Amino acid sequence: MGADNVDYDKELDTIEKSFQTDISLAIEQIDTVLTYESLLTLQQQSRLYGLIGAKFLYLGDFVEADKMLDKALLFNPNGVVLTDIYLLKITVNIALLNYQQAFSLLEENFSRIENYQDNSIKIKSYNRLTNVYLQLGAYDEMLRISQLALNLNQGTDPRNQCFSMLLISVAHLKLQHFDQAETLFTDTQSYCKDHDFPLIEIMSIKGQANVLFDKGLYAEAEPLYLVALERYQKFQFEVEINEIQSYLSSIYFHLGDYQQADMFAQLINALPNKPSNMQVKKRVSEILSLIAGKRGQFDKAYQYQVVASALGQQLLDEQKVKENAYQMARFNSVEKNRENTSLIQDHELLMKQKDLFMKEKSSSIMFSTLLVGLSVGLLLLLISAWMQRNQFMKQAQRDGLTGIFNRRTGQEMAENEFIQAQMLGESFSVLLMDLDLFKNINDQYGHATGDWVLKKVTHVIGEMLKPTHIFTRMGGEEFAIFMPKQTEDIAVDFAEQIRDVIANINTRFSGHDFTVTVSCGVSSVDKDDLSLDPLIRRADLALYKAKHNGRNCVVCYNDTIK
């Protein structure tokens, strides 16, 4: 049959179904459809590139996935195709740690779904949306939306029914409703097996094992994990395979089989350092530490525990960023709704004003003035609340005197950038600065002059910064610039520029004539660094060396500095 006679929508349906049963087959089918892409309608092309984006998402290439999804949007899709693309973009943004963007897309997409009249589109969209909530850790929302999808479907579409049942089971597990989750996973396994959805059936088996694991019933969980592992391997579903192997490592340790525990742990330990592997690598690092301790290898045990702690901190930081982004998106959504409600109320008031004006011209003048005054008052109140909210957020993040990031905010932002740099194998440098003999300026000219110096220094440095730099007041007269993607040589050169600019500050505008100088310490990321702390410590040692060398100079850390 020639390409002209192909039912392209059916072909795309087939690809979408293949993603649930055989990913390799889905990729082959995509390549086939690409050969006659020019024969597709704009909507079909959009759907095709959405599926290509999904392909790269499965393969873990999130940057390429985002590019393909952006290309899919160029064809102006609508309805469920547009919703699918947006949901995939949300998943990609989460994988790329762009949480604020992910939540913004989530809120926008949810508003659009609510306006759909077609229940089948709503159900499919809700199920996809529930997956996003799962990745974000919003389990209450996950349960609410998946239950809504199940109620809308009422068994009419077995595929959607299967998805909704699984997602409700997972939500109950995450909320630690163990007995309920175990029953639901068992029911889901049976339903999906009867309706020929093998991948979701396997997920249900793994879900039952997870319940038993969380309850500490390791011997009962083991055979279920082994069944799920064998069946996942046929699908080449790497993410699920890795997770099960990490659980088996923990199970065999608790059962006293250290050889098996070590074997599964080493499989995970050999995986590349990327965000999707952090949780499983943390789990097995803890097990490897315990195994080493049992074998009397205490140095190894300590090393593995350090790695586990670092990964745990990264996961906590990532969760904190997720929660902050989620709360901010929810806050912004509430603000928008409140503003919209206020505008509607204002409009209704103005319409009433007009009606009264037509009925009773003379008396309506005073009444309309009152209404306008009320509207203006409400508007001013909204503006004031919005400005106050922004002011509070800024005050919480900024140093009160200089306006740059305070230590807590600066280090948190830098730590998140550092984690991304480590995952991508990129450079990262830290520049610490301390104003020389600053106490003498305060003592000789007064604290007002000292404050003028601090503000002037931050102003001149601020004009030199790149958008990626994180400028932070560490305390007193000490400052830091965290420099993602910047090598040691670039950081040292930048420090020299700063030193020169500060030395040339004209202090006569302060009312006095004196010279300001700065000492700088620089360090860059090392392959053994697991967090930002070692870089800051090395930069601090280099700064101390600069002070010891006579001040007004830049020192880069090396192994001779102790």
Side-chain angles (χ1 to χ4, degrees):
M1 181 170 61
D4 290 339
N5 299 319
V6 174
D7 184 340
Y8 302 120
D9 286 319
K10 188 174 181 180
E11 289 288 302
L12 295 170
D13 286 342
T14 301
I15 295 171
E16 192 170 313
K17 187 173 181 181
S18 294
F19 272 119
Q20 305 303 321
T21 57
D22 190 334
I23 295 169
S24 299
L25 176 60
I27 293 172
E28 289 177 12
Q29 291 167 337
I30 285 173
D31 292 338
T32 300
V33 175
L34 275 170
T35 60
Y36 45 81
E37 177 191 348
S38 60
L39 300 175
L40 304 180
T41 65
L42 291 179
Q43 186 81 344
Q44 289 166 342
Q45 283 181 292
S46 180
R47 191 177 174 195
L48 172 62
Y49 279 96
L51 290 168
I52 295 172
K55 176 191 80 171
F56 283 113
L57 190 58
Y58 274 104
L59 297 176
D61 189 343
F62 305 120
V63 173
E64 195 62 30
D66 201 38
K67 288 180 183 177
M68 292 298 104
L69 294 170
D70 283 339
K71 187 169 183 178
L73 290 173
L74 294 176
F75 298 101
N76 296 318
N78 53 50
V80 73
V81 176
L82 179 62
T83 299
D84 280 346
I85 292 169
Y86 264 84
L87 290 171
L88 287 170
K89 278 187 69 67
I90 292 165
T91 303
V92 167
N93 274 283
I94 292 168
L96 293 172
L97 310 184
N98 300 329
Y99 300 120
Q100 191 65 54
Q101 176 68 7
F103 280 117
S104 296
L105 290 169
L106 186 63
E107 291 290 335
E108 180 183 339
N109 202 57
F110 191 73
S111 297
R112 182 169 50 248
I113 292 168
E114 286 290 281
N115 294 323
Y116 285 165
Q117 300 301 316
D118 185 343
N119 272 353
S120 63
I121 294 179
K122 274 190 175 183
I123 294 164
K124 183 178 180 182
S125 300
Y126 284 149
N127 280 330
R128 296 292 297 276
L129 188 62
T130 305
N131 268 311
V132 175
Y133 278 125
L134 171 60
Q135 294 176 66
L136 299 174
Y139 304 127
D140 286 318
E141 285 297 294
M142 179 188 177
L143 181 59
R144 182 177 71 84
I145 299 298
S146 55
Q147 189 65 59
L148 180 59
L150 189 70
N151 293 340
L152 281 174
N153 189 55
Q154 295 184 344
T156 55
D157 184 326
R159 183 167 179 249
N160 284 331
Q161 187 82 2
C162 202
F163 270 120
S164 297
M165 290 175 69
L166 175 69
L167 293 166
I168 290 172
S169 306
V170 172
H172 279 292
L173 171 61
K174 294 296 184 181
L175 292 168
Q176 299 187 338
H177 306 157
F178 295 132
D179 292 341
Q180 196 168 358
E182 187 171 13
T183 300
L184 290 169
F185 275 124
T186 303
D187 292 344
T188 304
Q189 178 193 352
S190 176
Y191 181 90
C192 296
K193 181 178 180 180
D194 292 343
H195 290 83
D196 194 26
F197 291 102
L199 191 56
I200 306 178
E201 180 193 348
I202 302 169
M203 291 178 179
S204 303
I205 296 171
K206 178 199 165 197
Q208 294 171 57
N210 285 347
V211 172
L212 294 169
F213 181 92
D214 287 350
K215 291 169 73 173
L217 302 174
Y218 303 117
E220 290 87 338
E222 179 208 7
L224 291 173
Y225 276 131
L226 290 173
V227 169
L229 177 63
E230 181 183 4
R231 296 186 63 181
Y232 269 134
Q233 285 169 338
K234 295 177 182 177
F235 284 91
Q236 301 179 351
F237 203 154
E238 292 300 322
V239 173
E240 291 291 313
I241 289 170
N242 294 339
E243 187 171 16
I244 289 177
Q245 288 176 336
S246 73
Y247 277 121
L248 284 170
S249 172
S250 183
I251 280 175
Y252 285 121
F253 174 80
H254 287 292
L255 294 178
D257 190 342
Y258 302 139
Q259 184 175 352
Q260 281 282 83
D262 186 70
M263 181 198 75
F264 280 110
Q266 294 297 349
L267 289 174
I268 301 302
N269 200 41
L271 294 173
N273 292 321
K274 57 182 184 180
S276 59
N277 292 334
M278 275 202 297
Q279 181 63 58
V280 293
K281 294 196 80 165
K282 173 185 177 292
R283 187 178 292 130
V284 300
S285 293
E286 291 171 343
I287 295 302
L288 288 168
S289 176
L290 292 170
I291 293 172
K294 291 287 186 181
R295 293 172 175 172
Q297 300 168 333
F298 300 113
D299 286 345
K300 270 190 174 183
Y302 175 74
Q303 291 170 8
Y304 282 125
Q305 192 55 51
V306 168
V307 172
S309 297
L311 289 169
Q313 186 60 51
Q314 290 178 27
L315 289 165
L316 281 173
D317 290 343
E318 184 181 330
Q319 186 60 33
K320 189 187 299 180
V321 173
K322 285 182 185 179
E323 290 171 358
N324 288 341
Y326 182 50
Q327 293 303 325
M328 182 56 68
R330 288 175 66 88
F331 183 83
N332 288 339
S333 177
V334 170
E335 287 294 295
K336 287 176 185 176
N337 289 336
R338 186 180 298 151
E339 289 169 10
N340 289 336
T341 301
S342 178
L343 288 172
I344 291 169
Q345 289 172 346
D346 289 347
H347 177 72
E348 290 174 349
L349 287 171
L350 290 171
M351 291 302 293
K352 289 177 181 177
Q353 173 190 352
K354 183 178 178 181
D355 185 53
L356 286 169
F357 180 79
M358 295 299 294
K359 291 180 179 178
E360 300 178 26
K361 184 176 180 180
S362 58
S363 61
S364 66
I365 293 175
M366 291 181 60
F367 189 61
S368 62
T369 302
L370 179 62
L371 288 174
V372 171
L374 180 60
S375 299
V376 170
L378 287 171
L379 182 60
L380 289 174
L381 186 62
L382 270 176
I383 292 171
S384 174
W386 179 80
M387 292 176 68
Q388 190 177 45
R389 187 260 306 204
N390 286 347
Q391 183 66 25
F392 286 157
M393 288 177 61
K394 184 176 180 181
Q395 287 174 351
Q397 295 179 333
R398 301 280 176 170
D399 173 60
L401 177 66
T402 63
I404 65 175
F405 290 119
N406 59 34
R407 181 170 189 155
R408 178 183 62 81
T409 301
Q411 285 197 217
E412 282 185 2
M413 293 175 66
E415 191 73 52
N416 290 327
E417 291 291 337
F418 174 81
I419 292 168
Q420 294 190 52
Q422 284 290 75
M423 292 299 174
L424 298 173
E426 295 176 338
S427 302
F428 193 103
S429 296
V430 173
L431 165 57
L432 286 185
M433 299 170 285
D434 191 272
L435 298 181
D436 297 324
L437 302 175
F438 183 72
K439 184 176 184 297
N440 292 350
I441 296 173
N442 278 331
D443 291 345
Q444 189 170 353
Y445 304 112
H447 287 279
T449 301
D451 289 349
W452 181 91
V453 170
L454 292 172
K455 288 189 281 188
K456 184 65 177 177
V457 166
T458 53
H459 174 72
V460 298
I461 294 175
E463 293 183 330
M464 303 168 63
L465 297 174
K466 293 184 177 181
T468 54
H469 291 165
I470 301 170
F471 190 20
T472 304
R473 186 178 181 188
M474 301 297 281
E477 67 273 21
E478 186 175 355
F479 300 88
I481 301 177
F482 301 103
M483 307 171 70
K485 300 180 172 52
Q486 303 295 294
T487 63
E488 185 179 273
D489 291 342
I490 292 174
V492 170
D493 182 61
F494 188 63
E496 287 288 0
Q497 294 176 44
I498 289 175
R499 187 191 63 78
D500 183 62
V501 168
I502 290 176
N504 286 288
I505 288 176
N506 187 346
T507 61
R508 283 177 297 175
F509 293 104
S510 72
H512 305 280
D513 195 359
F514 56 93
T515 300
V516 181
T517 61
V518 67
S519 299
C520 303
V522 175
S523 71
S524 289
V525 67
D526 185 85
K527 61 181 177 64
D528 296 324
D529 291 334
L530 298 173
S531 72
L532 193 62
D533 291 340
L535 277 81
I536 297 175
R537 182 181 61 82
R538 295 198 298 270
D540 197 43
L541 290 171
L543 174 59
Y544 179 80
K545 182 70 173 177
K547 292 283 188 181
H548 184 73
N549 287 352
R551 304 184 179 87
N552 192 24
C553 63
V554 176
V555 172
C556 184
Y557 178 84
N558 59 63
D559 291 336
T560 64
I561 299 175
K562 299 295 181 186

